[in-house]
Amino acid sequence: METDGGDSAAPPPADGRRLLGFTVYRRRWFVLLLLCLLNCSNATVWLTFAPVAVQSAQYLQVGLEAINWLSLVFVVVAIPLSFATTWMLDTLGLKFTLILGSWLNMLGAVTRFCGTLGGQQGALFPVVMLGQTLGALAQPFIIFAPTKMAALWFHDQQRATANMIASMSTVGMRSSVPPTPPSASAEASGSEPFLQGLKLLLRNKAYLLLLLCFGAGVALFTAFSTLLEQILCVRGYSNDFVGLCGALFIVFGVVGAGLVGVYVDKTKKFMEVIKVNFSLSALACIAFSVVSQVPHQNVAVATVSSLFGLFGFSIYPVAMELSVECSYPVGEATSAGLVFVSGQVQSLVYIVLLQALTTPLADAPLSTCGNTVSWRVPMMVMGGLCSAFSCCFVLFFHTPYRRLEAEQRAALHTRYGAACGGNTTICGGVAPEQPITTQRTGEDEREPHPNRK
């Protein structure tokens, strides 16, 4: 049932009996819009300098390594802060966490702007780094929120789409949760204590595999975004073309995530979609590692960048939802947050590793940025890592969809109780157990009627 009322919606019956459906509120789309805008703002702060690394180094009078740290500071800060953020989301709520993230994000952006007002250019870098650090403090509060928001405000046929919109993209929030839950799992959201949830996750083999493999995927995408200009400019590609490749990478990624989010919401084929797209993104990564080292291949480089974004970006929201499905009843912020932490830790390792593997070039006549190092070996390593982790995930990852199963059981008991007039003792005392299918194919599927043999 959907209502356009706000907090004036009628509360659940006092005797605990539940109607056949849960309530969703139209203002959930406003909450989603706010989170989307905040996520986009923080991502802009994060990746401001990566597409123009050489020009930024010249303006701030520092080396390329220092410019890379303007992005890497987000990784370093997020690792310790992520654990506090997951606890805050699951205990203090969505509203408090997002408002705190919004203020930190704004202060970071203002600080960076103030840094450009100084007289001596060399003195700007510490101020800019301070602004980046404040933005980095805001990132975990913002980027952990989509999975929690989707679980609390959207029913199961819209969760992946809502997660996608918020992830690819809160001051106006009046409350952390809607007046009544949209689904059975939303009622128990965050029901496991934080430390107990961590223990459950560490014993969940499927979750640990997802943590490792998808974290590696996030890390490789971060490395791609951070180092793209430095990789391509050595082979003669202009800064404008590098910017175009970065834009295509993001635009096609958002389109792919949108299509995949809608498809997964309808079919619930989380594992199949991620395995297919992970494999295709590995092929695109290998192709990029080859064509990026060949000059005058603008069409090929742009095409491969688009495909890398199309298949790779679309994994993110689905994987976040899958992390909740395979770890339920652990809180959404905890399960999705640890995946993000894994990605950040591996991002730091891979970016430092790829830079260390570069070799000096005796001559680079085509270079458009003064960079004279070869990225051939780092690109081969990046392609190999992506292939290895995608194969590991495709071959070994299997899990039941625990949250969907819990919601189907709750729906079965709800309908059974309704059929018995709210008193299950009339019908034998206990609702019958029915086989539960987690691979649902659409909204037309329904559980058997409890009185039908």
Side-chain angles (χ1 to χ4, degrees), residues 60-358:
L60 297 173
Q61 298 181 3
V62 294
L64 283 175
E65 293 79 8
I67 297 300
N68 288 338
W69 275 102
L70 291 174
S71 297
L72 281 174
V73 68
F74 277 73
V75 177
V76 174
V77 169
I79 294 171
L81 189 59
S82 296
F83 296 97
T85 304
T86 57
W87 175 84
M88 290 175 65
L89 271 170
D90 284 334
T91 56
L92 301 181
L94 190 63
K95 179 182 177 180
F96 176 86
T97 306
L98 285 182
I99 289 178
L100 178 59
S102 300
W103 276 98
L104 288 171
N105 192 56
M106 182 196 70
L107 290 174
V110 171
T111 302
R112 296 195 320 166
F113 174 73
C114 293
T116 64
L117 303 178
Q120 185 179 0
Q121 290 182 339
L124 295 175
F125 183 78
V127 181
V128 174
M129 177 59 81
L130 175 61
Q132 288 292 101
T133 303
L134 290 173
L137 290 171
Q139 188 185 52
F141 297 114
I142 298 169
I143 209 167
F144 286 15
T147 305
K148 188 75 171 180
M149 179 273 303
L152 292 177
W153 285 87
F154 289 81
H155 57 71
D156 66 317
Q157 293 295 325
Q158 294 178 338
R159 279 196 296 248
T161 301
N163 199 340
M164 176 276 300
I165 295 174
S167 299
M168 298 294 108
S169 17
T170 292
V171 178
M173 291 185 64
R174 289 181 287 168
S175 61
S176 294
V177 297
T180 56
S183 64
S185 63
E187 288 188 299
S189 179
S191 58
E192 289 292 337
F194 178 69
L195 293 178
Q196 179 63 24
L198 288 179
K199 293 178 182 178
L200 291 175
L201 292 178
L202 293 176
R203 294 197 296 263
N204 189 328
K205 294 181 180 179
Y207 178 82
L208 292 177
L209 185 60
L210 179 67
L211 187 77
L212 174 65
C213 295
F214 179 65
V218 171
L220 292 172
F221 270 74
T222 302
F224 177 89
S225 302
T226 302
L227 303 173
L228 180 61
E229 187 200 25
Q230 300 169 53
I231 294 169
L232 293 179
C233 72
V234 178
R235 297 300 174 182
Y237 296 102
S238 68
N239 186 63
D240 290 339
F241 177 73
V242 174
L244 174 63
C245 290
L248 291 173
F249 176 73
I250 295 172
V251 170
F252 275 82
V254 171
V255 171
L259 295 175
V260 167
V262 173
Y263 176 76
V264 169
D265 268 335
K266 297 297 182 183
T267 64
K268 308 303 178 189
K269 295 183 178 180
F270 296 94
M271 285 189 292
E272 293 86 345
V273 166
I274 293 182
K275 288 183 177 183
V276 169
N277 281 24
F278 210 157
S279 301
L280 293 174
S281 63
L283 292 176
C285 184
I286 294 171
F288 177 81
S289 67
V290 175
V291 299
S292 64
Q293 300 306 300
V294 181
H296 311 302
Q297 299 296 322
N298 296 54
V299 175
V301 172
T303 301
V304 171
S305 298
S306 302
L307 294 175
F308 197 20
L310 178 67
F311 298 125
F313 258 115
S314 58
I315 297 174
Y316 184 85
V318 181
M320 287 301 184
E321 287 294 306
L322 183 59
S323 71
V324 178
E325 292 292 342
C326 73
S327 62
Y328 185 84
V330 177
E332 296 87 1
T334 304
S335 55
L338 288 184
V339 173
F340 176 79
V341 173
S342 173
Q344 297 296 77
V345 172
Q346 293 185 67
S347 296
L348 179 61
V349 173
Y350 294 159
I351 291 175
V352 173
L353 173 65
L354 294 178
Q355 288 181 290
L357 291 175
T358 58

